[in-house]
Amino acid sequence: MAEAMQATEHQHSYIHNNTKADYLKRLRRIEGQARGLQRMVEEEQYCIDILTQVSAMTKALQSVALGLLDEHMTHCVVDAARHGGPEAEVKIKEASEAIARLVRS
Amino acid sequence: MAEAMQATEHQHSYIHNNTKADYLKRLRRIEGQARGLQRMVEEEQYCIDILTQVSAMTKALQSVALGLLDEHMTHCVVDAARHGGPEAEVKIKEASEAIARLVRS
Amino acid sequence: MAEAMQATEHQHSYIHNNTKADYLKRLRRIEGQARGLQRMVEEEQYCIDILTQVSAMTKALQSVALGLLDEHMTHCVVDAARHGGPEAEVKIKEASEAIARLVRS
Amino acid sequence: MAEAMQATEHQHSYIHNNTKADYLKRLRRIEGQARGLQRMVEEEQYCIDILTQVSAMTKALQSVALGLLDEHMTHCVVDAARHGGPEAEVKIKEASEAIARLVRS
């Protein structure tokens, strides 16, 4: 029973309450960048300027991803390792696959 | 005067009317992904699932950027090269810098 | 004393003996790709073909990095977490910074 | 006949003689980095230090690729555009595909 709860708990996000508001703020800004890009395309602004905005938005997204990954490893991976058992291996495999997707995207 | 108009025209976006609607649709979907990420963070969904969505969104953004760059080179860079003069060199330099930002972001 | 040895040991590579030979083989192949690129430039082969080889070599390098990172997390990070103390935090911070460098390169 | 020669010539590398030596020097350094990585793995050096070297090597490779691409566009793409005909379109398509491979690798 405790085991099952532990497993369920691990599926929760490990975003701290004080950083959650920060992530939401950054994602709202990224949403605004997506709207800004639509306006630039709508107004047929210069392609190179649109591409500059796409690069800035990609960097902002990557930065959010790296922050989330760091929190995930600090909490979820470390907790699983301390808890012992095969859970840690599963968590590392999952994290490695997420990192591979980030590196290749 | 014709020269000045030419220069101004080059600052326009070279997005074709038939692809413009497509870019707007893709960017609206990307805006939706940014809202979806906020909901995931708000609901404290599992970090790895959030990261998977960030990777998908980054890939969608990159794909828009590569499409815009291709259109820009097909129209703006080729036009400048045909028009002759130092304009082509300026356009290539600009495109190269935009590519570098995409590769490094 | 055991503490000091532990700390020193953590600075060792966590590459398993059975994967070490595999990494060396992959890195020798990457070294061969670097020599192949020199030959292509020397013989003034077509730029696009050279760029295709550069992309293949970059992918091979990334793949080595992702493998090393996975082994590092499986062994070094998990060990530090189990060992307890501030060590785990240091290891996660180090790994996060390495991941950021990979994502941004 | 002139047409055929033109086509053949376009398959040549557009690396200037004064930059060719520079590319060879940079690629030799990259080959040295690949050998350095083998030594680090052989000596079981710390994983994070190996990863730092991989990131540096990836950045060096990307920088070579961006330089080659810039030369290719400055010479080959601009020449094809000036020459007229369907050649320019082929060259842009080829360059766009090479850029996509670089962005995604």
Side-chain angles (χ1 to χ4, degrees), chain B residues 86-103:
Chain B
E87 184 83 355
E89 218 171 301
V90 172
K91 292 296 167 195
I92 294 285
K93 195 171 177 299
E94 228 179 43
S96 285
E97 286 167 358
I99 294 162
R101 280 191 295 269
L102 288 178
V103 168

Side-chain angles (χ1 to χ4, degrees), chain D residues 43-73:
Chain D
E43 295 173 359
E44 299 184 16
Q45 288 187 31
Y46 190 46
C47 265
I48 296 293
D49 295 336
I50 302 179
L51 289 172
T52 301
Q53 287 307 306
V54 172
S55 292
M57 190 173 156
T58 306
K59 271 185 193 297
L61 255 180
Q62 271 183 351
S63 176
V64 163
L66 291 170
L68 288 171
L69 188 67
D70 179 76
E71 290 213 49
H72 178 71
M73 294 199 300

Side-chain angles (χ1 to χ4, degrees), chain C residues 45-99:
Chain C
Q45 286 187 32
Y46 191 47
C47 265
I48 297 293
D49 295 336
I50 302 179
L51 289 173
T52 301
Q53 287 307 305
V54 172
S55 291
M57 189 174 158
T58 306
K59 271 184 193 299
L61 255 180
Q62 271 183 350
S63 176
V64 164
L66 292 169
L68 288 171
L69 188 67
D70 179 76
E71 289 214 49
H72 177 70
M73 294 199 301
T74 307
H75 302 289
C76 182
V77 172
V78 166
D79 281 6
R82 281 182 186 155
H83 189 250
E87 184 83 356
E89 218 172 301
V90 171
K91 291 296 167 194
I92 294 285
K93 196 172 178 298
E94 228 179 44
S96 284
E97 287 167 357
I99 293 163

Side-chain angles (χ1 to χ4, degrees), chain A residues 51-80:
Chain A
L51 289 174
T52 301
Q53 287 307 306
V54 172
S55 291
M57 189 174 158
T58 306
K59 271 184 194 297
L61 255 180
Q62 272 183 351
S63 177
V64 164
L66 292 169
L68 288 171
L69 188 67
D70 180 75
E71 290 213 50
H72 177 71
M73 295 199 300
T74 306
H75 302 289
C76 182
V77 172
V78 166
D79 281 4

